[in-house]
Amino acid sequence: MEHTPMPEPLRRAIHHLVSEGVQNCQEVLRYTEPDQAHTWKRMTLYRATDAADTMDMVAMLIAAYCERTGMASHTLQSYLQVGQQAIRAHGTDEEDRSHVTGLMGEAIPYEAMRASTNRMRHHRGQSQAEQAQRPEDDPGKLFTEACLHGLKAKLCDDVDSLDSYLPPQVAAMARKVAEALEVPELAAT
């Protein structure tokens, strides 16, 4: 099997799309904040699906290149993990509703209990609800959120706004991230 680096035009296109996806993910986080009560439902769904669609484009670009260079169809399907793809057009399913029921601290309906995946998703929701009650948070998650918020604030030249909508610990970390970043100057051509 030949091992060649990714072609530069493909690499750049993927970097651009991943950056776009990360910005959409940051906006999902931004719209979860209390000051966004009037738009959080609409905007978190828009930005989450935008991020998913963008990352799907990344996967499909790479897949098209692999197809073009002769990758076997069964190998490509395996790498794309097509069995994991949930189609949003079908809407929510019983597993999603079980997860939300657990998050909201409600009992799972008897009919839903019959499926082990529903029980598992309900339990996951209960665990996440319990974790949300504890003030300490996963340091890795806090760091990721701080990086995303700090990057966006730096790019928008709006570092001062971080304190207005983020919890103090995340705002302080995001401010440090923003202050550590230097926005690259474009080379004059």
Side-chain angles (χ1 to χ4, degrees):
M1 177 156 72
E2 180 183 333
H3 297 286
T4 59
M6 183 180 283
E8 188 62 19
L10 180 60
R11 189 185 78 76
R12 285 179 181 248
I14 289 169
H15 280 236
H16 172 78
L17 288 169
V18 169
S19 294
E20 185 179 314
V22 167
Q23 286 181 329
N24 285 323
C25 289
Q26 186 280 330
E27 288 186 23
V28 169
L29 294 176
R30 173 66 183 101
Y31 285 110
T32 65
E33 298 304 329
D35 67 326
Q36 297 297 315
H38 61 291
T39 61
W40 76 264
K41 292 174 185 174
R42 176 173 49 92
M43 294 309 295
T44 55
L45 286 171
Y46 280 163
R47 293 305 167 250
T49 55
D50 288 348
D53 290 344
T54 301
M55 295 313 294
D56 280 344
M57 285 194 304
V58 169
M60 292 299 102
L61 268 179
I62 296 167
Y65 178 80
C66 291
E67 209 173 53
R68 174 188 172 112
T69 58
M71 180 178 281
S73 178
H74 69 278
T75 302
L76 184 57
Q77 294 297 309
S78 170
Y79 290 174
L80 285 171
Q81 304 178 72
V82 294
Q84 295 180 21
Q85 179 64 40
I87 301 172
R88 291 190 307 261
H90 291 195
T92 61
D93 59 20
E94 195 62 44
E95 292 174 12
D96 300 317
R97 289 186 287 279
S98 295
H99 195 153
V100 168
T101 300
L103 281 170
M104 299 297 109
E106 298 167 359
I108 187 172
Y110 177 76
E111 310 82 51
M113 285 180 65
R114 289 186 259 181
S116 64
T117 54
N118 292 345
R119 290 190 309 271
M120 180 192 71
R121 291 283 299 272
H122 183 262
H123 179 69
R124 179 183 297 165
Q126 288 176 316
S127 296
Q128 291 169 330
E130 289 170 15
Q131 291 169 355
Q133 299 303 313
R134 295 190 297 264
E136 74 278 354
D137 218 337
D138 174 29
K141 185 180 88 48
L142 285 175
F143 180 72
T144 301
E145 285 186 33
C147 286
L148 289 172
H149 287 297
L151 175 62
K152 181 75 169 194
K154 182 68 171 191
L155 291 173
C156 295
D157 197 27
D158 194 16
V159 176
D160 292 334
S161 73
L162 293 170
D163 296 317
S164 68
Y165 64 89
L166 291 175
Q169 184 180 8
V170 177
M173 287 173 49
R175 182 177 291 284
K176 287 179 184 177
V177 168
E179 289 168 357
L181 294 173
E182 286 189 34
V183 177
E185 293 183 27
L186 298 176
T189 55

